[in-house]
């Protein structure tokens, strides 16, 4: 069996043997099967690094699978047809999960592997310890409690036997519960001492059972007495490998057509019938990858800890489509191992990253070895396909400089992410408990019906958060506080202003309904595709009425019950990570559509894109109006009055702007907001939604036509709005572009929440600005008519704010330009 691509002039165990005084003896093929490295573990100094296991060393998938299948065939010959038909195979987590599964393939037997991931609702049928390991506890969690109850042979598979202690622990634990007459122990290499071999024979006699052992190669390791001290000195003296630093490759998420109801591995058992289903599905599973990777020369399929077998088989099928020599396979691991970039050492490079599957034993580091290219040798992969299961597809996989996806992007040219469904045992809704708080709903939180929106927010209704507008502005502009740490006093609309809102709604309701329908039809064509559903995530609070309207369009036009969540995004702080985790746990992240009302200069668009970089969510924002020309999915690019921009909470379910303050919001809490129940008498939230939804039938044909029109045009954002704001900042001597708020919606916010300086109105704009002119008059703000404005209006926040900038009546002091 050819297992290496490199010359045998240097063995990948030379560095360790020379420095530790270690000596390897036994079968001549041992150097072909294993190399050596140093463990960062005081219990054992060295690590046997298998060349055929697919864990630490990338290898051709056919070699990895073939090594296990060959051992399985040898077990079948040992047992004979009758006993083999009653055998069950048990593999060890995490290293031997794919090896054990491959042995089961060669034997033709059902398979189960131990796991370190407890599953709520599944009672372990056994467990055992692995003394020398960095993570000791193994659990047995078969969906069928009687999976191990038969009297047929039990085949136990591990990658290597150094002492045989783990095997003895397992046999004793299982024999107590389900005694059987015959055990077969299987490994790639057997390096036990004569004393350890005698212990297994004695244990078999003690249990009254037959125990056979099969291995690909046998031998021994001779160690000096001070090996642990020598290893510790070498590790302490070794130079640290710096994290990769280079350009970030793109990440492409691919949905593989995983067969419905098929387990993703052997954690809860894998039958021979399920093995046949997977075998038949492999060409279809690999086909989408082959399309994306057709021009790649060196591809690594990287599995995830215990999830080894499915990625291994997919990698093999991919090699069959694009060329076996172009594909290698390995997986991430919990094992901390020293990396030394030397041709005589088995672990040349390592990527260290935080655990991303919320492990039961708490956070910790995980590793990917020999993925990054070494300095003087080693294959560089021009594409990496990362295959994880659903519990591992969390924000921790994507977020932060040390996140695995971020690091992979710096060592290759393309990263492809494939997430396999995690099949729960019967009667369980999920193999992973949900880790986020339950959403809030009306009428307990907000005046919207519960079915319209799920608020991913923390209820701060009983907390005093309001501060006078002038004090808030002074604190924000001086750098003493962030705008999201407090709330302005909620604006109480006067009867005159409420009448303006109603007039605006009457005159623009069809235009709003058309914009909603246009966006909905665009999303149906471009994002729904073959998927079962879209999921709307509106940016609270201005985007929430739009999310509700889009949801109602899909119900009206197509009878779909589309999930809708309201999430918080805060300029300078990003989008709520706990809310993202909630969405990722319950939905396909690719189908989540982020929704807002309008764009100004595009600050939130940029904030969203930056926050979602490298994550499985699509960062494209959908809005009704895009006067800033910074998104691709919009109802119109005209800056027209959306009546919901005229008001604050009274048109947004009586919910405040969102709040993020460390003394109120913990790391596992959503961003906060208040519910202003006391404003119910002025609430028009449901009236607004009902008025717009009532016009859907009248505008449907036009919306379908409008959604079709842009398909042949260039909708690429040109950020003309941002450029205009920079020009205005310079022209009016404003140091920060954050003090320039373009568009009807943003100008209204300036007048309601901030300390306004002046309003720039596009010359000739009519009724769309009536409410702006009224608010400006109430606050004593100068409205300046200007030409060449890409928006209907622009609000300028006072650029040199102090308490003296307002008069005794609270209105802004005019500053002549």
């Amino acid at each position: 069996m050819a297992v290496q691509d490199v010359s045998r002039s240097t063995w990948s165990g030379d560095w360790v043997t020379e420095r530790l005084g270690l000596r390897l003896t036994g079968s001549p093929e041992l150097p072909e099967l294993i190399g050596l490295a140093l463990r960062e573990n005081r219990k054992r100094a060295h690590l046997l690094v298998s060349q055929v296991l697919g864990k630490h060393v990338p290898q051709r998938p056919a070699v990895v699978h073939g090594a296990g299948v060959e051992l399985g065939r040898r077990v079948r010959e040992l047992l004979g047809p009758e006993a083999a038909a009653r055998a069950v195979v048990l593999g060890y987590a995490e290293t031997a999960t794919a090896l054990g599964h491959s042995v089961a393939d060669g034997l033709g037997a059902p398979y189960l592997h131990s796991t370190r991931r407890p599953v709520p609702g599944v009672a372990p049928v056994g467990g055992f310890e692995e003394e020398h390991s960095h993570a000791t506890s193994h659990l047995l969690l078969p969906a069928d409690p009687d999976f191990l109850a038969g009297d047929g042979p039990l085949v136990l598979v591990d990658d290597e036997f150094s002492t045989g202690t783990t095997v003895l622990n397992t046999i004793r634990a299982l024999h107590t519960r389900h005694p059987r007459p015959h055990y077969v122990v299987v490994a790639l290499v057997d390096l036990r001492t004569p004393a350890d071999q005698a212990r297994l024979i004695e244990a078999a006699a003690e249990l009254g059972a037959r125990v056979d052992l099969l291995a690909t190669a046998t031998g021994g390791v001779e160690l000096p007495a001070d090996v642990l001290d020598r290893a510790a000195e070498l590790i302490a003296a070794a130079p640290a490998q710096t994290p990769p630093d280079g350009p970030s490759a793109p990440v492409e998420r691919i949905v593989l057509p995983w067969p419905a109801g098929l387990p993703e591995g052997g954690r809860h058992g894998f039958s021979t019938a399920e093995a046949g289903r997977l075998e038949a599905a492999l060409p279809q599973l690999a086909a989408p990858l082959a399309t994306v990777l057709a021009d790649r020369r060196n591809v690594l399929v990287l599995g995830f800890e215990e999830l080894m077998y499915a990625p291994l088989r997919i990698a093999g099928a991919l090699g069959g489509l694009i060329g076996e020599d172009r594909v290698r396979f390995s997986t991430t691991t919990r094992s901390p191992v020293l990396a030394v970039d030397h041709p005589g050492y088995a672990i040349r490079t390592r990527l260290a990253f935080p655990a991303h599957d919320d492990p039961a034993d708490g956070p910790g580091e995980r590793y990917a070895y020999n993925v990054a290219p070494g300095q003087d040798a080693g294959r560089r992969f021009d594409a990496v396909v990362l295959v994880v299961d659903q519990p591992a597809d969390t924000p921790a996989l994507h977020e932060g400089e040390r996140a695995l996806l971020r690091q992979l992007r710096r060592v290759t040219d393309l990263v492809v992410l494939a997430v396999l469904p995690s099949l729960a045992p019967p009667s369980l809704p999920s193999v992973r408990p949900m880790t986020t708080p339950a959403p809030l709903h009306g009428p307990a939180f907000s005046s919207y019906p519960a079915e319209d929106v799920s608020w991913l927010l923390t209820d701060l209704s009983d907390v005093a958060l309001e501060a006078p507008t002038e004090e808030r502005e002074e604190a924000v502009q001086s750098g003493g506080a962030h705008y999201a740490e407090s709330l302005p006093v909620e604006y109480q609309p006067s009867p005159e202003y409420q009448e303006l809102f109603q007039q605006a709604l009457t005159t623009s309701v069809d235009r709003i309904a058309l914009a909603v329908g246009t966006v909905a039809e665009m999303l149906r064509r471009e994002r729904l595709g073959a998927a079962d559903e879209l999921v709307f995530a509106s940016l609270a609070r201005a985007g929430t009425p739009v999310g509700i309207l889009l949801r109602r369009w899909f119900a009206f036009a197509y009878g779909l019950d589309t999930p809708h969540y309201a999430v918080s995004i805060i300029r300078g702080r990003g989008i709520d990570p706990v809310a993202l985790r909630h969405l990722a746990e319950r939905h396909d992240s690719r189908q989540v559509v982020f929704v807002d009302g309008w764009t100004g200069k595009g600050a939130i668009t940029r904030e969203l894109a930056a926050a979602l970089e490298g994550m499985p969510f699509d960062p494209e924002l959908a809005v009704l109006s895009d006067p800033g020309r910074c998104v691709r999915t919009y109802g119109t690019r005209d800056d027209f009055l959306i009546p919901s921009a005229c008001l604050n909470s009274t048109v947004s379910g009586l919910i405040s702007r969102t709040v993020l303050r460390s003394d109120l919001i913990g790391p596992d809490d959503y961003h906060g907001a208040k519910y202003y129940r006391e404003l119910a008498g002025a609430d028009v939230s449901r009236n607004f939604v009902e008025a717009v939804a009532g016009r859907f039938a009248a505008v449907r044909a036009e919306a379908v036509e409008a959604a079709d029109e842009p398909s042949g045009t260039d909708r690429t954002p040109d950020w003309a709005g941002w450029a205009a704001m920079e020009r205005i900042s310079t022209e009016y001597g404003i140091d920060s572009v954050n003090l320039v708020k373009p568009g009807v919606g943003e100008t209204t916010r300036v007048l309601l929440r901030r300390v306004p300086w002046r309003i720039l109105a596009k010359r000739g704009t009519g009724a769309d600005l009536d409410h702006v002119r009224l608010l400006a008059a109430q606050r004593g703000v100068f409205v300046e008519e200007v030409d060449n404005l890409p928006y209907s209006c622009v609000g300028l926040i006072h650029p040199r704010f102090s308490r003296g900038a307002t008069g005794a009546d609270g209105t802004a002091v005019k500053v002549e330009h």
Side-chain angles (χ1 to χ4, degrees), residues 612-654:
L612 298 179
E613 182 182 3
M615 297 184 66
F617 298 93
D618 187 334
E620 179 73 20
L621 185 65
V623 299
L624 296 190
S625 174
D626 179 35
R629 302 182 65 86
C630 49
V631 301
R632 293 184 66 258
T633 306
Y634 53 85
T636 178
R637 277 183 164 158
D638 293 338
D639 183 22
F640 78 103
L641 173 60
I642 301 173
S644 60
C646 294
L647 300 169
N648 284 333
S649 68
T650 52
V651 78
S652 303
L654 299 181

Coordinates of all heavy atoms in Angstrom, one line a residue, residues 612-654:
L612 N -20.9 40.2 9.1 CA -21.2 38.9 8.6 C -20.1 38.3 7.7 O -20.2 37.2 7.2 CB -22.5 38.9 7.7 CG -23.7 39.3 8.5 CD1 -24.9 39.3 7.6 CD2 -24.0 38.4 9.7
E613 N -18.9 39.0 7.6 CA -17.8 38.5 6.8 C -17.4 37.1 7.2 O -17.1 36.9 8.3 CB -16.6 39.5 6.8 CG -15.5 39.1 5.9 CD -14.3 40.0 6.0 OE1 -14.4 40.9 6.9 OE2 -13.3 39.8 5.3
G614 N -17.4 36.2 6.2 CA -16.9 34.9 6.5 C -17.9 34.0 7.2 O -17.7 32.8 7.5
M615 N -19.1 34.5 7.5 CA -20.2 33.8 8.1 C -21.1 33.1 7.1 O -21.1 33.5 5.9 CB -20.9 34.7 9.1 CG -20.1 35.2 10.2 SD -21.0 36.2 11.4 CE -22.0 34.9 12.2
P616 N -21.9 32.2 7.5 CA -22.8 31.5 6.5 C -24.0 32.3 6.1 O -24.7 31.9 5.2 CB -23.2 30.2 7.3 CG -23.2 30.6 8.7 CD -22.0 31.5 8.8
F617 N -24.2 33.5 6.7 CA -25.3 34.3 6.3 C -25.0 35.1 5.0 O -23.8 35.5 4.8 CB -25.7 35.3 7.4 CG -26.1 34.6 8.7 CD1 -25.2 34.3 9.7 CD2 -27.5 34.2 8.8 CE1 -25.7 33.7 10.8 CE2 -27.9 33.6 10.0 CZ -27.0 33.3 11.0
D618 N -26.0 35.4 4.2 CA -25.8 36.3 3.1 C -25.9 37.7 3.6 O -27.0 38.1 4.1 CB -27.0 36.0 2.0 CG -26.8 36.8 0.7 OD1 -26.1 37.8 0.7 OD2 -27.3 36.3 -0.3
P619 N -24.9 38.5 3.4 CA -24.9 39.9 3.9 C -25.7 40.9 3.1 O -25.8 42.1 3.5 CB -23.4 40.3 3.9 CG -22.9 39.5 2.7 CD -23.6 38.2 2.7
E620 N -26.3 40.5 2.0 CA -27.1 41.4 1.2 C -28.3 41.9 1.9 O -29.1 41.1 2.5 CB -27.5 40.7 -0.1 CG -28.4 41.5 -1.0 CD -27.6 42.6 -1.8 OE1 -26.3 42.4 -1.8 OE2 -28.1 43.5 -2.2
L621 N -28.5 43.2 2.0 CA -29.6 43.8 2.7 C -30.7 44.1 1.7 O -30.5 44.6 0.6 CB -29.1 45.1 3.3 CG -30.1 45.9 4.2 CD1 -30.5 45.0 5.4 CD2 -29.5 47.2 4.6
A622 N -32.0 43.8 2.0 CA -33.1 44.1 1.2 C -33.9 45.3 1.8 O -34.2 45.3 3.0 CB -34.1 42.9 1.1
V623 N -34.2 46.3 1.0 CA -34.8 47.5 1.5 C -35.9 48.0 0.6 O -35.9 47.6 -0.6 CB -33.8 48.7 1.7 CG1 -32.7 48.3 2.7 CG2 -33.2 49.1 0.4
L624 N -36.9 48.8 1.1 CA -37.9 49.3 0.2 C -37.4 50.4 -0.7 O -37.7 50.5 -1.8 CB -39.1 49.8 1.1 CG -39.9 48.8 1.9 CD1 -41.1 49.5 2.4 CD2 -40.2 47.6 1.1
S625 N -36.5 51.3 -0.1 CA -36.0 52.4 -0.8 C -34.5 52.5 -0.6 O -34.0 52.4 0.5 CB -36.7 53.7 -0.3 OG -36.1 54.9 -0.9
D626 N -33.8 52.7 -1.8 CA -32.3 52.7 -1.8 C -31.8 54.0 -2.4 O -31.1 53.9 -3.4 CB -31.8 51.5 -2.5 CG -30.3 51.4 -2.5 OD1 -29.6 51.9 -1.6 OD2 -29.7 51.0 -3.5
P627 N -32.1 55.1 -1.8 CA -31.6 56.4 -2.4 C -30.0 56.5 -2.3 O -29.4 57.2 -3.1 CB -32.2 57.5 -1.7 CG -32.6 56.8 -0.3 CD -33.0 55.4 -0.7
G628 N -29.5 55.7 -1.3 CA -28.0 55.7 -1.2 C -27.3 54.9 -2.2 O -26.1 54.9 -2.3
R629 N -28.1 54.1 -3.0 CA -27.5 53.2 -4.1 C -26.4 52.3 -3.5 O -25.3 52.3 -4.0 CB -27.0 54.1 -5.2 CG -28.1 55.0 -5.9 CD -27.5 55.8 -7.0 NE -27.1 54.9 -8.1 CZ -28.0 54.5 -9.1 NH1 -29.2 54.9 -9.1 NH2 -27.5 53.7 -10.1
C630 N -26.8 51.6 -2.4 CA -25.7 50.8 -1.8 C -26.2 49.3 -1.6 O -25.5 48.6 -0.9 CB -25.3 51.4 -0.5 SG -26.6 51.9 0.6
V631 N -27.4 48.9 -2.2 CA -27.8 47.5 -2.1 C -28.3 47.1 -3.5 O -28.6 48.0 -4.4 CB -28.9 47.3 -1.0 CG1 -28.5 47.7 0.3 CG2 -30.2 48.0 -1.4
R632 N -28.4 45.8 -3.7 CA -28.9 45.3 -4.9 C -30.4 44.9 -4.9 O -31.0 44.9 -5.9 CB -28.2 44.0 -5.3 CG -26.7 44.2 -5.6 CD -26.0 42.9 -6.0 NE -26.6 42.4 -7.3 CZ -27.4 41.5 -7.5 NH1 -28.0 40.8 -6.4 NH2 -27.8 41.1 -8.7
T633 N -31.0 44.7 -3.7 CA -32.4 44.3 -3.6 C -33.2 45.5 -3.0 O -33.0 45.7 -1.8 CB -32.5 43.0 -2.7 OG1 -31.6 42.0 -3.3 CG2 -33.9 42.5 -2.7
Y634 N -34.0 46.1 -3.8 CA -34.7 47.3 -3.4 C -36.0 47.4 -4.2 O -36.2 46.9 -5.3 CB -33.9 48.6 -3.6 CG -33.4 48.7 -5.0 CD1 -34.1 49.3 -6.1 CD2 -32.1 48.2 -5.4 CE1 -33.7 49.4 -7.4 CE2 -31.6 48.3 -6.7 CZ -32.4 48.9 -7.7 OH -32.0 49.0 -9.0
G635 N -36.9 48.1 -3.6 CA -38.2 48.4 -4.3 C -38.1 49.6 -5.2 O -38.7 49.6 -6.3
T636 N -37.3 50.6 -4.8 CA -37.1 51.7 -5.6 C -35.8 52.4 -5.1 O -35.4 52.2 -4.0 CB -38.3 52.7 -5.5 OG1 -38.0 53.9 -6.3 CG2 -38.5 53.2 -4.1
R637 N -35.2 53.2 -6.0 CA -34.1 54.0 -5.5 C -34.5 55.5 -5.4 O -33.6 56.4 -5.1 CB -32.9 53.9 -6.5 CG -32.1 52.6 -6.2 CD -30.9 52.5 -7.0 NE -30.0 51.5 -6.4 CZ -29.0 50.8 -7.1 NH1 -28.9 51.0 -8.4 NH2 -28.3 49.9 -6.5
D638 N -35.8 55.8 -5.5 CA -36.3 57.1 -5.2 C -36.3 57.4 -3.7 O -36.6 56.5 -2.9 CB -37.7 57.3 -5.8 CG -37.7 57.3 -7.3 OD1 -36.7 57.5 -7.9 OD2 -38.8 56.9 -7.8
D639 N -36.0 58.6 -3.3 CA -36.0 59.0 -1.9 C -37.4 59.5 -1.6 O -37.7 60.7 -1.6 CB -35.0 60.0 -1.6 CG -35.0 60.4 -0.1 OD1 -35.4 59.5 0.7 OD2 -34.5 61.5 0.2
F640 N -38.4 58.6 -1.4 CA -39.7 59.0 -1.2 C -40.1 58.8 0.3 O -39.4 58.0 1.0 CB -40.7 58.3 -2.1 CG -41.1 56.9 -1.7 CD1 -42.3 56.6 -1.1 CD2 -40.2 55.8 -2.0 CE1 -42.6 55.3 -0.8 CE2 -40.5 54.5 -1.6 CZ -41.7 54.3 -1.0
L641 N -41.2 59.4 0.7 CA -41.6 59.3 2.1 C -42.2 57.9 2.4 O -43.3 57.6 1.8 CB -42.6 60.4 2.5 CG -43.2 60.3 3.8 CD1 -42.2 60.4 4.9 CD2 -44.3 61.4 4.0
I642 N -41.6 57.2 3.3 CA -42.2 56.0 3.8 C -42.8 56.4 5.1 O -42.1 56.7 6.1 CB -41.1 54.8 4.0 CG1 -40.5 54.5 2.7 CG2 -41.8 53.6 4.6 CD1 -39.3 53.6 2.8
P643 N -44.2 56.4 5.2 CA -44.8 56.9 6.4 C -44.3 56.4 7.7 O -44.3 57.1 8.7 CB -46.3 56.6 6.2 CG -46.4 56.5 4.7 CD -45.1 55.9 4.2
S644 N -43.8 55.1 7.7 CA -43.3 54.6 9.0 C -42.0 55.4 9.5 O -41.6 55.3 10.6 CB -42.9 53.1 8.8 OG -41.9 52.9 7.8
A645 N -41.4 56.1 8.6 CA -40.2 57.0 9.0 C -40.7 58.2 9.7 O -39.9 58.9 10.4 CB -39.4 57.4 7.7
C646 N -42.0 58.5 9.7 CA -42.4 59.7 10.3 C -42.5 59.6 11.8 O -42.4 60.6 12.5 CB -43.9 60.1 9.8 SG -44.0 60.5 8.1
L647 N -42.6 58.4 12.3 CA -42.8 58.2 13.7 C -41.7 57.2 14.3 O -41.0 56.6 13.5 CB -44.2 57.6 14.0 CG -45.4 58.4 13.5 CD1 -46.7 57.6 13.6 CD2 -45.5 59.7 14.4
N648 N -41.7 57.1 15.6 CA -40.8 56.1 16.2 C -41.5 54.9 16.6 O -42.0 54.1 15.8 CB -40.1 56.8 17.4 CG -39.0 57.8 16.9 OD1 -38.4 57.6 15.8 ND2 -38.7 58.8 17.7
S649 N -41.6 54.7 17.9 CA -42.2 53.5 18.4 C -43.7 53.3 18.1 O -44.2 52.2 17.9 CB -42.1 53.4 20.0 OG -42.9 54.4 20.6
T650 N -44.4 54.4 17.9 CA -45.8 54.3 17.6 C -46.2 53.7 16.2 O -47.3 53.5 15.9 CB -46.5 55.6 17.8 OG1 -45.9 56.6 17.1 CG2 -46.5 56.0 19.3
V651 N -45.2 53.5 15.4 CA -45.4 52.8 14.1 C -44.5 51.6 14.0 O -44.5 50.9 13.0 CB -45.1 53.8 12.9 CG1 -43.6 53.9 12.7 CG2 -45.8 53.3 11.7
S652 N -43.9 51.2 15.2 CA -43.0 50.1 15.2 C -43.3 49.1 16.4 O -42.4 48.6 17.0 CB -41.5 50.5 15.3 OG -41.2 51.4 14.2
G653 N -44.6 49.0 16.6 CA -45.0 48.0 17.6 C -44.8 48.5 19.0 O -44.8 47.7 20.0
L654 N -44.6 49.8 19.2 CA -44.3 50.4 20.5 C -43.0 50.0 21.1 O -42.8 49.9 22.4 CB -45.5 50.2 21.5 CG -46.8 50.8 21.1 CD1 -47.9 50.5 22.2 CD2 -46.7 52.3 20.8

